[in-house]
Amino acid sequence: MIEWEALGGDMKSLKPGFLYWGAFIVVTVLFSACQPANDNANTTATSTVTPPATQHLTVVPRPQKIVDMMKQRGEQDEAKPTLRILSPAKNGTINGSTVEVKLELSGDLKGYKPHKDPASGKGNHIHVILDNQPYEAYYELDHPFELRNVTEGKHTLRVFASRPWHESYKNEGSFQMASFTVKGGGDASKPTTTKDGQVMSDNKSKAKSTPTPAPNVAANANASASPAPPREGKDVAKSSAGDVDPAKPLLTYSRPKGEYKGEDADPIMIDFWLSNAKLQGDGGAYRVRYSIDGGEAKFIDKWEPTWLSGWISGKHQVKLELVDKNGNLVDNGGYNSTTREITVVR
Ligand SMILES: [Cu+2]
C-alpha cells in the first residue's frame, strides 16, 4: 500500500499500473524458465558469428574406450620416455632449407615404442612442433623426419612423447626443445612441409579465418591478400619463432587439432605440455586458461588432459593460455597464448 501511495494517485489510477508490472514479472519469469541452461548464454547472445545452435560444454571423465585401451597397453602408460634432439643442434645454424630432425628415445619405456599400426593407423608417436604451429606426428624414429622449405631465420623445434590418442607423456625428459637458425632458407611463398608433404607451416599468410571477435584481428590485416588454401583442418599460420626463453614458463599447445568426426568428436581432449611452471592444483602458482569460440574463460589447475563433451558440428576456436595467479598472461615469445581452429563433424 505504501509503495503504491508513493507512486502517486489513488487506487483507481494505480490498478492498471499494477496489472502492467504484474504481467511483466510473470512473463519475465516464464521466459527465463524456458531458457536452456547455458554457460555461454551471454556471449552467444551478443556474438556476431552465426551459431547454428547453442553449445554447452562440460568436463567429463576420460572416455571408457580410452580406459580400456590403457588396460590393454599394460604398463606403457606408466612409462617415463626420455627424448633427446640429436638434430637440429641446439642454437645451431643450418645452411639451406632442409632441417633433418633426429631424435633419440630412451628412459624407462615399459614397452612404449612409437609405431603406426598399419591396420588401425594408430599407435604411439612423437609430437613434433615447428615454432608455434600445430604438431605433426612422428611414428617411426628409425626413419628420418625432415622439415623441407624452412624459411630463413630463427626457429624452434619442440618434441614430446605421445600416446595413440594423442595424450602426451608428462614426465621430465619427455619434452625437448631446440632453437636453431636457418641461413639461406626456403621459398617463403610456399609452405614448410615434412618429406611426405605434411604442412608444418604455411609461410605465405596467416591462418585462414579467425571468426572469433578478437580485437587484434586487425593486426593481421596486412597479411597476404590471397587466403591460404584449406589444408585438411590444419590451422597453419606464418611461422617464425618468437623470442622464446627455454628457462621461462612455457605452455606448449598440443590438442585439440584438426578434424574430429563421429564418436571421436565427443568428448574432445584438451592436452598441453608445461615447462618451468607448476599449476595451482599441483602446488604451483600458475593456471591454464581456456576458452572455446571466444566464450567464457575456464581454468585448468592440474596438469592432466581435460575432456570436453557437448561440441556441436562446425568450426571452433580453442584458445589456451598460461596465466599467473592474478590471471595475467605469462609471456614467453608469444607462445603462451595459442588459438587453434578445429572442425567438428557429428
Ligand atoms: Cu598425436
Side-chain angles (χ1 to χ4, degrees), residues 123 125-127 135-137 139 162-167 254-255:
H125 56 280
I126 310 297
H127 285 192
Y135 77 83
E136 194 55 53
Y139 285 89
S162 181
R163 297 167 169 91
W165 58 95
H166 312 290
E167 179 183 335
S254 181
R255 277 265 162 176

Side-chain angles (χ1 to χ4, degrees), residues 28-342:
T28 307
V29 168
L30 282 176
F31 184 74
S32 40
C34 293
Q35 295 301 298
N38 188 341
D39 288 346
N40 293 327
N42 290 334
T43 46
T44 47
T46 55
S47 173
T48 51
V49 188
T50 50
T54 48
Q55 173 172 271
H56 181 53
L57 296 173
T58 49
V59 177
V60 297
R62 190 193 298 273
Q64 189 59 41
K65 64 170 183 180
I66 305 288
V67 174
D68 294 343
M69 216 187 294
M70 289 172 87
K71 278 181 193 150
Q72 287 163 17
R73 284 159 58 82
E75 288 186 295
Q76 274 184 63
D77 292 308
E78 279 79 61
K80 293 192 166 31
T82 301
L83 282 171
R84 204 156 73 89
I85 301 176
L86 303 177
S87 166
K90 268 185 191 172
N91 304 314
T93 298
I94 288 146
N95 291 301
S97 64
T98 299
V99 176
E100 190 127 28
V101 177
K102 281 188 206 148
L103 305 177
E104 185 185 79
L105 177 67
S106 61
D108 185 10
L109 294 175
K110 297 190 193 301
Y112 176 82
K113 188 186 192 303
H115 175 62
K116 188 192 261 185
D117 173 40
S120 67
K122 291 182 175 168
N124 293 314
H125 56 280
I126 310 297
H127 285 192
V128 178
I129 299 174
L130 176 66
D131 302 330
N132 200 25
Q133 300 299 318
Y135 77 83
E136 194 55 53
Y138 183 17
Y139 285 89
E140 321 294 339
L141 296 194
D142 46 350
H143 296 172
F145 189 98
E146 242 176 50
L147 303 174
R148 292 189 176 169
N149 196 46
V150 182
T151 55
E152 172 148 7
K154 200 180 170 192
H155 295 278
T156 60
L157 188 79
R158 287 178 279 178
V159 298
F160 49 90
S162 181
R163 297 167 169 91
W165 58 95
H166 312 290
E167 179 183 335
S168 59
Y169 279 84
K170 296 174 173 62
N171 58 288
E172 178 115 39
S174 163
F175 173 96
Q176 295 298 331
M177 174 167 161
S179 292
F180 59 95
T181 301
V182 167
K183 281 241 166 81
D187 180 351
S189 71
K190 295 194 172 110
T192 301
T193 68
T194 66
K195 69 175 167 47
D196 304 321
Q198 298 291 330
V199 175
M200 296 297 293
S201 164
D202 176 359
N203 300 312
K204 198 152 69 176
S205 62
K206 275 290 184 187
K208 59 185 160 56
S209 73
T210 315
T212 21
N216 58 352
V217 160
N220 299 336
N222 58 353
S224 168
S226 58
R231 294 188 194 281
E232 300 193 316
K234 226 180 137 180
D235 162 27
V236 282
K238 184 172 166 58
S239 187
S240 59
D243 214 354
V244 180
D245 185 340
K248 281 187 179 165
L250 179 65
L251 171 71
T252 299
Y253 184 111
S254 181
R255 277 265 162 176
K257 180 194 94 150
E259 191 170 280
Y260 291 79
K261 274 186 180 163
E263 63 164 5
D264 288 337
D266 198 73
I268 289 175
M269 178 186 72
I270 292 180
D271 195 40
F272 51 87
W273 229 93
L274 269 184
S275 320
N276 315 311
K278 239 186 197 179
L279 300 186
Q280 280 184 3
D282 299 323
Y286 297 94
R287 310 184 84 185
V288 169
R289 182 166 64 199
Y290 70 94
S291 77
I292 312 296
D293 299 332
E296 187 190 348
K298 305 269 184 176
F299 291 91
I300 298 172
D301 285 322
K302 274 185 170 254
W303 187 18
E304 55 193 23
T306 300
W307 295 87
L308 290 180
S309 173
W311 300 83
I312 57 170
S313 284
K315 292 191 186 305
H316 298 284
Q317 309 284 325
V318 179
K319 185 180 195 181
L320 284 193
E321 295 175 296
L322 183 65
V323 299
D324 65 17
K325 60 181 190 301
N326 299 318
N328 298 316
L329 181 69
V330 179
D331 187 42
N332 192 351
Y335 284 12
N336 284 342
S337 175
T338 301
T339 304
R340 292 254 189 281
E341 184 179 274
I342 63 165

